[in-house]
Amino acid sequence: MLRKYSNYRSFSDNLKLGTLTAFSAGMVNVISVIVFFAFTSNVTGHYAILAQEIAKGNWYQGAVVLVWIFLFFAGNFTSNCLIIHNNTPTGRYIAHAIPVFLEMACLMFVGIYLQYFYTESLKETEFLVAAMLFAMGLQNGLTASISNSKVKTTHLTGLTTDLGVVFSMFTKKEFRNDKKLIQKAQLLLGIMFSYMAGGIISGLLYYKIENATFIVIGMVLGAVLLYDYSKLQVTRFVQRRRSSFQRRYSLYDKKA
Amino acid sequence: MRLGPIYLFFALLLALSVWFLLDQESPETLILGDWEEIAWKYEKLDHGDVMDFDIDRLQKQEIIKNIIIHEAETWRFNPDGTLSFLEENEIKENLKWNIKGRGHILELHHKNNIVEDYQVVQVTKDELVVQFNSDLQVRGIVKMTFKRIPKKQYAQKI
């Protein structure tokens, strides 16, 4: 999911990354609406609200929204910076894992703060929403960057546009068996349903376990990190075995 | 492409936002004090044939029956996060309040764990306008307008 970059990624890599991260984004967005009355996985609405607040002359609210948008931008910026400055075959997994780890840290911080320190003041709300937007920016920047913009999981505007385009292509017979188009539709549908599922589950969970929902989000992101880590360990184990076998075999050859 | 002016523009925009956040009063502080209810109106209705957007006393009572807030003359927002509903200078109910979102949601926590949300349309030094959805008789958005009671005047009244 995280080890491969750009065009070296397979459809399966993108599908796994897309569905898991979309699931966590759906969870984050719904929980932020329930707790803070603000969307945190997308900024399109925030741009509209910013314009509206400026038009109304509500400078304070406008400034809050502008800082939120900046935090989403900062998340994307940080994510891509980490990726492009550490794009070496050996450090690639680490470079791709750090944004997920930072995202996890941000969301865990929000969960812990909500559980133990939150007094429901407006300043706290604004700050925690900003932290969640930064986390979502990190995720979106990572998925878009490593997948050549094929996977974007925190907002569904572009995805719905692409789905509309892909399904319109299917109205022509010649495209119905096009493997690339079919895979694209599968990927987009996978992300869409996963985002929805994350949102629904988050909504249901919050009323049962409240702030512990953030632990579940952390676990989903942990699965993204550990899946590739385990794959790397298996690969290294196989490589070690193979090299020791080859060494032994060459020694045997020499003796013979 | 020269990136300097672009970076400068965004840095200035961000600095301006931070300055606004530090300089301007937040809705949470603006709302503190005593507010007198002055008007109830339908902001939007899904009945095309209803001509009058004003809410009369009977309609108001009907709406109030189905929401938790009491009919009160005065709402007093205290800095300790409590809200008192007053009628003829007597406290009818005390509950907890807080502001969420970007300062656009007023949340009221009643003692029986029921939470009500109102949308803060406007809060200035003189006027507070909140909205809530009503599903009664006609489905629509009810707009409540309050006028600030100056501290001196309120003390004299008491």
Side-chain angles (χ1 to χ4, degrees), chain B residues 1-12:
Chain B
M1 193 171 119
R2 288 185 65 200
L3 288 172
I6 299 171
Y7 283 133
L8 189 69
F9 172 75
F10 283 109
L12 281 173

Side-chain angles (χ1 to χ4, degrees), chain A residues 117-160:
Chain A
F117 309 105
Y118 190 47
T119 58
E120 301 202 74
S121 72
L122 186 58
K123 280 270 176 288
E124 287 171 307
T125 301
E126 287 160 1
F127 181 73
L128 295 175
V129 169
M132 288 172 94
L133 273 161
F134 180 71
M136 287 295 97
L138 282 168
Q139 179 179 307
N140 206 41
L142 170 80
T143 55
S145 179
I146 65 174
S147 70
N148 249 358
S149 289
K150 280 180 192 148
V151 181
K152 283 178 188 163
T153 57
T154 64
H155 54 276
L156 303 186
T157 316
L159 181 140
T160 312

Side-chain angles (χ1 to χ4, degrees), chain B residues 129-144:
Chain B
V129 183
V130 296
Q131 282 179 343
F132 65 91
N133 290 320
S134 162
D135 260 341
L136 281 154
Q137 294 176 346
V138 279
R139 195 156 58 90
I141 298 169
V142 175
K143 187 168 102 175
M144 297 163 75

Side-chain angles (χ1 to χ4, degrees), chain B residues 39-149:
Chain B
W40 279 53
K41 271 187 180 185
Y42 277 118
E43 177 77 2
K44 287 196 176 63
L45 286 172
D46 65 356
H47 267 231
D49 54 343
V50 177
M51 298 301 287
D52 194 7
F53 277 62
D54 289 326
I55 296 172
D56 61 28
R57 187 152 184 85
L58 279 173
Q59 277 179 314
K60 186 176 163 184
Q61 277 171 351
E62 189 71 16
I63 293 167
I64 285 166
K65 260 188 218 168
N66 291 274
I67 53 174
I68 309 295
I69 60 156
H70 293 288
E71 200 179 0
E73 286 172 352
T74 308
W75 291 30
R76 181 184 291 164
F77 290 90
N78 301 307
D80 63 352
T82 57
L83 166 65
S84 310
F85 289 129
L86 291 100
E87 202 176 344
E88 289 168 2
N89 300 326
E90 272 186 40
I91 294 175
K92 288 178 75 179
E93 192 190 352
N94 272 322
L95 43 89
K96 272 185 76 184
W97 69 274
N98 52 59
I99 291 201
K100 295 256 176 100
R102 55 183 190 281
H104 72 298
I105 299 288
L106 171 65
E107 219 178 42
L108 305 183
H109 296 258
H110 294 263
K111 279 175 187 153
N112 48 5
N113 282 336
I114 291 176
V115 181
E116 277 186 343
D117 303 313
Y118 296 83
Q119 194 171 346
V120 181
V121 180
Q122 193 181 15
V123 53
T124 61
K125 285 198 165 131
D126 309 308
E127 197 179 49
L128 168 66
V129 183
V130 296
Q131 282 179 343
F132 65 91
N133 290 320
S134 162
D135 260 341
L136 281 154
Q137 294 176 346
V138 279
R139 195 156 58 90
I141 298 169
V142 175
K143 187 168 102 175
M144 297 163 75
T145 310
F146 298 82
K147 192 180 79 186
R148 188 185 289 279
I149 306 172

